[in-house]
Amino acid sequence: MNTLVCGQSSKAIDNKPRLFDEIRNVARMRHLSLRTEQAYVQWIRRFILFHDKRHPRDMGEAEIRAFISHLAVDRSITASTQTVALSALLFLFRDVLKKEMPYVANIERAQKPKRLPVVFTRDETKRIFAQLEGTHWLIAGLLYGSGLRLMECLRLRVKDIDFTYAQITVRDGKGEKDRITMLPARLKQALTRQLQKTKVIHEEDLRAGYGEVFLPYALARKYPSAPKQWGWQYVFPAAKRSIDPRNGKQRRHHLSETTIQKAVKNAIRQTRISKNGSCHTFRHSFATHLLEEGYDIRTVQELLGHKDVKTTMIYTHVLNRGGRGVKSPIDL
């Protein structure tokens, strides 16, 4: 029995540790995030199990097509999840196994629903903020006041905050793009206090013999002292140090996104707002409220970091005032 994924030992399993170790090595060489690496490993493992534990080098386009179609038809996964699964398999064949892999055609695609974004009104936003405090309030403020995605906010480094020019530099945003957005005046004082607390934590870590932070793109090898420098520290550090699974070093990572998501969800429940909102709803509200104020859509596009203005245009739905700007006859 071929036991590539499960079991302990056999000639077939000889490739198991090598394959998944190589997947992780290539992922790190390509500077994929740990989250992406873990997702890819999961989908590749499921792909192998689906095909009775055959080794991927003995499979190809037909097996990829069968697996992805199975996910859409039999498992009813969302279109975005299907895209991640396909990306994982293309990464496996093209980057790890070095097999020529043309566009995988004739896949049964999950239908991506066309939904308008949920947006909080200004009053709803104020009510939610009234239920938040401390770090949770500040992070939610940056999501709404600067249009940040949650992970962009949590991954902010000290050096990315510019109080003089009142701006925030977002590094490696979606699509590995950098951008600059505004730093709201209302948040400056709270952000200053947060940095003071972070500085104390960092100095305590240094005294304990730690104080390193993860640096992307092999910067730690190029600048050996940088991981301990103040400017590279996360603005929102985790409460405890943890072991980095990529190299076994004990570091202080950034705050967990789950903590903020739970706080925001709880705040929404307390306000009795019926909308299915989340942390990302603050970003939607940021864009919508700016457009309501008459700001140019290209400016909003740049602040959000959208590649195509068509993505930003979805927020113009609220400007239509219901039926595409047409007054109801009962209001005439």
Side-chain angles (χ1 to χ4, degrees), residues 120-121 123-132 263-277:
F120 295 131
T121 65
D123 178 66
E124 288 170 341
T125 303
K126 290 178 181 178
R127 287 161 54 196
I128 294 170
F129 273 87
Q131 300 298 326
L132 297 168
V264 169
K265 281 289 186 183
N266 185 54
I268 294 172
R269 282 195 298 270
Q270 289 178 325
T271 56
R272 300 179 183 270
I273 293 173
S274 59
K275 293 176 181 177
N276 187 26

Side-chain angles (χ1 to χ4, degrees), residues 280-328:
H280 204 66
T281 308
F282 288 124
R283 177 173 159 90
H284 293 323
S285 305
F286 165 84
T288 303
H289 296 169
L290 285 181
L291 290 172
E292 282 182 329
E293 288 298 314
Y295 285 97
D296 179 76
I297 193 168
R298 293 285 183 180
T299 300
V300 178
Q301 175 194 358
E302 186 175 338
L303 292 171
L304 291 171
H306 287 161
K307 183 178 180 181
D308 194 328
V309 72
K310 291 180 181 177
T311 307
T312 316
M313 286 179 67
I314 193 170
Y315 297 112
T316 61
H317 73 283
V318 298
L319 307 180
N320 293 326
R321 311 296 184 199
R324 300 191 178 279
V326 178
K327 281 191 175 182
S328 167

Side-chain angles (χ1 to χ4, degrees), residues 172-217:
D172 281 338
K174 194 172 182 180
E176 296 187 335
K177 295 181 295 183
D178 293 356
R179 74 177 189 279
I180 292 177
T181 186
M182 76 276 282
L183 170 57
R186 185 182 174 191
L187 301 181
K188 284 186 176 182
Q189 188 175 359
L191 195 52
T192 299
R193 288 196 300 267
Q194 174 63 32
L195 291 177
Q196 290 170 347
K197 290 190 291 185
T198 302
K199 181 78 168 177
V200 171
I201 293 172
H202 179 53
E203 289 174 347
E204 289 176 350
D205 283 346
L206 289 173
R207 284 195 294 270
Y210 300 100
E212 279 196 12
V213 71
F214 168 75
L215 294 189
Y217 306 115

Side-chain angles (χ1 to χ4, degrees), residues 73-330:
V73 177
D74 302 324
R75 306 299 296 177
S76 300
I77 66 169
T78 64
S80 58
T81 303
Q82 188 185 47
T83 298
V84 174
L86 179 58
S87 297
L89 298 182
L90 293 179
F91 168 79
L92 169 66
F93 284 93
R94 291 173 178 171
D95 298 297
V96 179
L97 300 178
K98 304 297 182 183
K99 292 182 69 171
E100 287 294 326
M101 188 60 58
Y103 176 75
V104 183
N106 301 320
I107 290 179
E108 187 71 30
R109 289 282 185 178
Q111 294 298 313
K112 188 172 183 179
K114 295 182 179 180
R115 295 194 181 102
L116 294 175
V118 176
V119 175
F120 295 131
T121 65
R122 295 171 192 272
D123 178 66
E124 288 170 341
T125 303
K126 290 178 181 178
R127 287 161 54 196
I128 294 170
F129 273 87
Q131 300 298 326
L132 297 168
E133 57 184 19
T135 304
H136 297 160
W137 180 89
L138 177 57
I139 291 174
L142 288 169
L143 303 184
Y144 175 61
S146 304
L148 301 181
R149 299 177 178 91
L150 178 56
M151 292 309 298
E152 290 174 345
C153 183
L154 297 180
R155 289 172 179 160
L156 284 176
R157 314 271 183 161
V158 173
K159 65 182 183 61
D160 297 329
I161 309 296
D162 189 331
F163 287 98
T164 302
Y165 288 97
Q167 64 185 29
I168 296 172
T169 302
V170 180
R171 308 284 183 184
D172 281 338
K174 194 172 182 180
E176 296 187 335
K177 295 181 295 183
D178 293 356
R179 74 177 189 279
I180 292 177
T181 186
M182 76 276 282
L183 170 57
R186 185 182 174 191
L187 301 181
K188 284 186 176 182
Q189 188 175 359
L191 195 52
T192 299
R193 288 196 300 267
Q194 174 63 32
L195 291 177
Q196 290 170 347
K197 290 190 291 185
T198 302
K199 181 78 168 177
V200 171
I201 293 172
H202 179 53
E203 289 174 347
E204 289 176 350
D205 283 346
L206 289 173
R207 284 195 294 270
Y210 300 100
E212 279 196 12
V213 71
F214 168 75
L215 294 189
Y217 306 115
L219 286 172
R221 288 200 299 270
K222 188 174 182 181
Y223 307 107
S225 63
K228 290 187 176 183
Q229 290 177 0
W230 166 237
W232 282 101
Q233 303 306 304
Y234 289 117
V235 174
F236 300 104
K240 296 181 180 179
R241 295 188 297 269
S242 58
I243 302 298
D244 190 330
R246 288 166 287 203
N247 55 23
K249 285 189 175 182
Q250 187 174 148
R251 293 175 169 146
R252 192 176 294 275
H253 202 48
H254 59 66
L255 197 63
S256 169
E257 67 270 28
T258 306
T259 304
I260 310 303
Q261 289 166 341
K262 288 181 179 178
V264 169
K265 281 289 186 183
N266 185 54
I268 294 172
R269 282 195 298 270
Q270 289 178 325
T271 56
R272 300 179 183 270
I273 293 173
S274 59
K275 293 176 181 177
N276 187 26
S278 65
C279 290
H280 204 66
T281 308
F282 288 124
R283 177 173 159 90
H284 293 323
S285 305
F286 165 84
T288 303
H289 296 169
L290 285 181
L291 290 172
E292 282 182 329
E293 288 298 314
Y295 285 97
D296 179 76
I297 193 168
R298 293 285 183 180
T299 300
V300 178
Q301 175 194 358
E302 186 175 338
L303 292 171
L304 291 171
H306 287 161
K307 183 178 180 181
D308 194 328
V309 72
K310 291 180 181 177
T311 307
T312 316
M313 286 179 67
I314 193 170
Y315 297 112
T316 61
H317 73 283
V318 298
L319 307 180
N320 293 326
R321 311 296 184 199
R324 300 191 178 279
V326 178
K327 281 191 175 182
S328 167
I330 199 171

